[in-house]
């Protein structure tokens, strides 16, 4: 499928998207999935933060996905980390001299501890929706919104610590190119995380899922957004996407190491992770 | 395009009677998908749907049409998914009438591209064409807002429902009803009696929910009885080849159909 056509599809989807998404497209599970990649990382990193102050000093993170759901959760996490760090500092600084106190007032308060998020999407409408969401939820600092193509990212090499893409890579025409770009823009030691629809491993759930996908989702798309065809395309593109193992191999081919995946909800969705080492 | 194809198929079907000719594809039972939907589109814009999908669509579109009355596309979808049996009856009724049969054969369409607006403008006052144009102007509607049929699994029936939709504005002109909510409900009652389409019946019954008590009173006491009476008395309005009757005087046409003047003057009338 040619890139321009998918562009048009997604700009067309932009307006109806939020309406349709509200219509609980995938049984309301969708809202819990973006939390999963974050929590997977949080558990490992929290431990390290207490030991070595790995923290998030100058850790720009790239977020693929115009609406920024993951970006918001990341910012929340960073903020809460920063707040607990401040609390610890406060306890340690109960007996400061006047000079030290004066110096503290001169330092600019950065609630994010240097962390930044870049949200990148090929579709302007999606970015607009994301910006509106950010404003509505009160996120102002630390976010940059960039229009760009996953197959040809407008960023320099070795720039980001983390690259996440949620339900986006399925729509890229050349997935291998997107993976190579992800590899390019990540710093050595950076982590690639991808949340995407995958193959269901349980036969009973697979049948129910197929029934729901093909019979119900286009109907919901028509009733809520007045658009049957886009949602028909959606469920077909989900079926065309490679399985967990195949996608794992594609990520390895792009140069990532220690590639793992975790299936959620019997494989309806999977999180793939890889490191640039 | 679909018209041409069906013409050819119809001619070929006639040849079937000759011995030695193989059975044509059109005579084969339509292949079904595993979910029970027809395989492949039968006409442009056709989206084959399984019985389950049709049921879900009918329920969903009905709910959405009630929730958001401006979703005219939902009313259309409701009509398409619930009307199969009624459309067959309508189609047969059209076949039995000579003018209706011609319409089925020639498949005229009403849109700004097929109407000669200049010619209609030049017609004398009181003629069907002139009054139709006036109706479009005063109510600020266009014949192009009718969405193409998508969920009917038979291309002739798809045309019948398309014709019904495009004739809707004609009915407004014939009945002298404006396009406000009251006028629409009156026309719906007329259509419900005339066509028996489930969508019309549902619209006629549930449309008045949003009306004020005063309008409801007028509707029930005067307008509905008038609409039902006229609907029963008039022959099937789908059998009128409107495109050939532009010059006919509106009053003469109303007399021909037995349509009397509305009992109450509804605001917004031309």
């Amino acid at each position: 499928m040619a890139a321009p056509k998918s562009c048009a599809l997604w700009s067309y989807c932009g307006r109806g998207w939020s309406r349709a998404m509200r219509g609980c497209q995938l049984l309301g599970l969708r809202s819990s999935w973006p939390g999963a990649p974050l929590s997977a990382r949080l558990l490992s990193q929290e431990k390290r933060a207490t030991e070595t102050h790995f923290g998030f000093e100058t850790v720009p993170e790239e977020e693929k996905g115009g609406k920024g759901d993951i970006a918001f959760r990341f910012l929340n996490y960073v903020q809460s980390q920063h707040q607990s760090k401040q609390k610890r500092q406060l306890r340690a600084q109960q007996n400061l001299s006047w000079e030290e106190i004066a110096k503290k007032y001169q330092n600019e308060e950065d609630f994010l501890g240097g962390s930044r998020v870049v949200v990148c999407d090929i579709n302007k409408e999606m970015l607009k929706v994301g910006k509106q969401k950010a404003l509505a939820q009160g996120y102002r600092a630390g976010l940059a919104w960039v229009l760009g193509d996953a197959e040809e990212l407008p960023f320099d090499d070795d720039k980001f610590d983390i690259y996440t893409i949620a339900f986006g890579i399925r729509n890229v025409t050349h997935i291998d190119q997107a993976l190579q770009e992800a590899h390019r823009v990540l710093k050595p030691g950076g982590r690639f995380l991808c949340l995407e629809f995958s193959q269901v491993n349980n036969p009973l759930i697979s049948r129910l899922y197929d029934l729901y996908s093909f019979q119900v989702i286009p109907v919901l798309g028509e009733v809520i957004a007045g658009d049957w065809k886009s949602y028909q395309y959606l469920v077909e593109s989900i079926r065309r996407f490679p399985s967990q193992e195949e996608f794992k191999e594609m990520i390895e081919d792009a140069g990532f190491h220690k590639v793992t995946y975790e299936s959620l909800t019997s494989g309806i969705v999977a999180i793939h992770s890889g490191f640039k080492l | 395009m679909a018209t041409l194809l069906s013409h050819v198929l119809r001619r070929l079907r006639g040849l079937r009677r000759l011995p030695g000719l193989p059975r044509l594809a059109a005579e084969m039972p339509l292949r079904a998908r595993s979910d029970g939907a027809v395989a492949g589109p039968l006409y442009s814009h056709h989206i084959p749907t399984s019985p389950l999908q049709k049921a879900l669509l009918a329920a969903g579109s009905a709910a959405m049409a009630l929730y958001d009355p401006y979703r005219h596309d939902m009313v259309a979808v409701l009509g398409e998914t619930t009307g199969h049996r009624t459309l067959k009856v309508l189609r047969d009724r059209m076949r039995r009438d000579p003018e209706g049969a011609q319409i089925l054969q020639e498949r005229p369409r009403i849109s700004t591209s097929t109407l000669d607006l200049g010619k209609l403008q030049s017609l004398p006052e009181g003629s069907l064409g002139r009054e139709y144009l006036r109706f479009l102007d005063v109510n600020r509607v266009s014949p192009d807002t009718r969405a193409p049929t998508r969920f009917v699994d038979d291309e002739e029936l798809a045309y019948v429902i398309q014709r019904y939709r495009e004739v809707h504005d004609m009915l407004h002109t014939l009945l002298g009803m404006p396009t406000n909510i009251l006028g629409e409900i009156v026309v719906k009652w007329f259509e419900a009696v005339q066509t028996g389409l489930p969508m019309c019946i549902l619209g006629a019954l549930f449309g008045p929910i949003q009306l004020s008590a005063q309008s409801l009173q007028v509707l029930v006491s005067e307008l509905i009885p008038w609409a039902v009476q006229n609907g029963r008395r008039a022959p099937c309005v789908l059998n009128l080849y409107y495109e050939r009757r532009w010059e006919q005087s509106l009053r003469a046409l109303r007399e021909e159909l037995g349509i009397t003047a509305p009992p109450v003057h509804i605001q917004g009338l031309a």
Side-chain angles (χ1 to χ4, degrees):
Chain A
M1 196 163 166
K5 189 174 173 198
S6 53
C7 246
L9 169 67
W10 289 110
S11 55
Y12 186 53
C13 262
R15 278 165 295 120
W17 189 255
S18 15
R19 268 188 291 162
M21 285 304 111
R22 243 195 296 128
C24 50
Q25 182 203 342
L26 286 152
L27 294 168
L29 291 169
R30 217 177 170 275
S31 52
S32 63
W33 284 330
L38 228 43
S39 51
R41 276 191 3 254
L42 295 186
L43 286 174
S44 54
Q45 302 233 348
E46 247 187 71
K47 275 205 214 114
R48 264 185 285 160
T50 52
E51 289 159 15
T52 64
H53 271 292
F54 181 75
F56 284 97
E57 259 88 319
T58 61
V59 173
E61 162 175 322
E62 172 175 317
E63 161 73 17
K64 190 91 180 66
K67 286 201 291 106
D69 290 316
I70 294 189
F72 301 152
R73 287 175 196 242
F74 173 69
L75 289 176
N76 280 342
Y77 171 70
V78 168
Q79 250 183 309
S80 71
Q81 283 294 90
H82 189 81
Q83 277 166 3
S84 38
K85 181 174 164 193
Q86 273 193 309
K87 253 201 212 148
R88 285 195 300 270
Q89 270 185 338
L90 209 56
R91 273 192 221 122
Q93 288 169 353
Q94 284 301 308
N95 294 308
L96 290 178
S97 69
W98 288 115
E99 283 146 3
E100 284 168 316
I101 293 174
K103 218 191 286 180
K104 266 186 61 188
Y105 274 98
Q106 282 167 3
N107 292 339
E108 271 228 37
E109 188 63 83
D110 182 359
F111 293 108
L112 299 173
S115 296
R116 297 283 175 272
V117 179
V118 176
V119 184
C120 180
D121 200 281
I122 200 171
N123 183 331
K124 237 186 267 185
E125 295 293 314
M126 282 293 220
L127 286 177
K128 236 191 262 178
V129 172
K131 273 190 219 174
Q132 284 166 1
K133 266 183 96 167
L135 275 177
Q137 296 183 25
Y139 295 102
R140 264 168 259 280
L143 279 172
W145 305 84
V146 176
L147 191 68
D149 182 353
E151 297 177 12
E152 220 182 303
L153 289 169
F155 305 113
D156 289 331
D157 300 2
D158 303 333
K159 229 189 146 223
F160 297 97
D161 294 84
I162 305 174
Y163 176 115
T164 70
I165 180 167
F167 300 119
I169 207 157
R170 176 181 88 253
N171 299 303
V172 172
T173 322
H174 302 107
I175 298 178
D176 50 339
Q177 278 185 31
L179 291 172
Q180 279 166 27
E181 279 292 281
H183 192 265
R184 179 180 70 79
V185 301
L186 276 172
K187 286 186 197 159
R191 188 172 188 179
F192 168 83
L193 285 165
C194 174
L195 173 68
E196 192 49 81
F197 288 109
S198 204
Q199 309 286 349
V200 179
N201 39 43
N202 179 317
L204 173 65
I205 299 199
S206 175
R207 281 188 59 191
L208 288 172
Y209 180 53
D210 281 348
L211 188 78
Y212 183 76
S213 294
F214 287 104
Q215 301 297 312
V216 180
I217 288 179
V219 172
L220 285 179
E222 176 64 34
V223 171
I224 297 175
D227 188 354
W228 178 284
K229 299 253 166 163
S230 299
Y231 288 88
Q232 183 77 33
Y233 161 74
L234 173 72
V235 298
E236 284 169 5
S237 74
I238 290 174
R239 292 299 176 291
R240 279 205 302 265
F241 194 73
S243 66
Q244 285 88 328
E245 277 296 324
E246 275 177 64
F247 191 48
K248 174 179 169 208
E249 280 167 32
M250 287 170 77
I251 300 174
E252 285 168 350
D253 286 342
F256 289 98
H257 296 268
K258 293 210 167 293
V259 181
T260 57
Y261 62 82
E262 183 190 340
S263 292
L264 301 175
T265 326
S266 295
I268 294 181
V269 150
I271 302 172
H272 281 77
S273 156
F275 289 91
K276 175 175 177 174
L277 296 175
Chain B
M1 184 68 203
T3 324
L4 213 52
L5 192 60
S6 63
H7 271 209
V8 172
L9 285 175
R10 231 169 265 142
R11 297 250 164 73
L12 287 178
R13 255 184 236 154
L15 292 174
R16 182 175 62 97
R17 310 243 169 69
L18 296 172
L21 271 175
R23 279 188 80 190
L24 297 156
E27 296 296 330
M28 302 285 183
L30 293 164
R31 283 187 343 268
R33 289 200 314 231
S34 57
D35 61 357
V38 196
L42 297 167
Y43 49 90
S44 74
H45 299 285
H46 181 214
I47 298 176
T49 42
S50 67
L52 175 61
Q53 283 175 319
K54 286 209 178 61
L56 292 171
L57 267 177
S61 60
M64 186 53 98
L66 275 176
Y67 174 73
D68 183 357
Y70 290 101
R71 289 290 301 272
H72 300 299
D73 59 326
M74 287 291 102
V75 180
V77 169
L78 181 62
E80 289 170 31
T81 50
T82 54
H84 196 85
R85 219 173 344 139
T86 318
L87 285 174
K88 278 204 192 135
V89 170
L90 279 174
R91 189 260 312 266
D92 294 341
R93 220 187 283 171
M94 285 174 82
R95 273 191 188 155
R96 286 196 293 269
D97 179 271
E99 211 173 331
Q102 248 188 339
I103 296 172
L104 279 179
Q105 190 93 331
E106 292 171 25
R107 308 252 178 122
R109 295 290 301 268
I110 302 178
S111 71
T112 46
S113 53
T114 55
L115 293 173
D116 187 349
L117 294 172
K119 179 175 154 235
L120 291 180
Q121 185 88 338
S122 67
L123 289 173
E125 293 284 311
S127 62
L128 175 64
R130 192 73 189 74
E131 295 309 308
Y132 172 64
L133 211 58
R134 173 174 296 137
F135 162 80
L136 291 180
D137 279 332
V138 168
N139 290 276
R140 284 193 286 264
V141 292
S142 148
D144 292 334
T145 51
R146 307 289 162 202
T149 314
R150 280 174 303 159
F151 299 112
V152 178
D153 290 332
D154 177 306
E155 51 104 31
E156 192 172 30
L157 298 182
Y159 173 73
V160 172
I161 202 171
Q162 191 75 47
R163 180 71 182 168
Y164 151 74
R165 268 184 217 154
E166 289 175 0
V167 153
H168 179 81
D169 290 336
M170 292 290 162
L171 297 181
H172 271 279
T173 314
L174 278 175
L175 295 172
M177 287 290 129
T179 54
N180 55 28
I181 186 80
L182 203 55
E184 291 291 350
I185 293 175
V186 176
V187 178
K188 265 289 164 292
W189 275 89
F190 182 84
E191 286 175 345
V193 172
Q194 275 269 312
T195 65
L197 283 168
M199 175 261 285
C200 296
I201 296 174
L202 287 171
L205 290 174
F206 288 98
I209 283 180
Q210 316 146 39
L211 286 178
S212 68
Q214 197 188 26
S215 305
L216 201 56
Q217 228 257 325
V218 176
L219 183 72
V220 171
S221 61
E222 315 242 9
L223 291 169
I224 289 181
W226 170 76
V228 169
Q229 219 179 24
N230 281 280
R232 281 194 159 142
R233 191 167 41 217
C236 182
V237 287
L238 285 178
N239 283 335
L240 295 174
Y241 208 135
Y242 297 97
E243 291 87 336
R244 299 237 178 103
R245 292 169 175 257
W246 292 133
E247 290 94 3
Q248 184 175 12
S249 132
L250 185 55
R251 186 183 309 174
L253 183 56
R254 280 177 179 157
E255 265 178 48
E256 185 182 329
L257 299 175
I259 292 178
T260 55
V264 181
H265 179 88
I266 301 182
Q267 199 178 22
L269 219 43

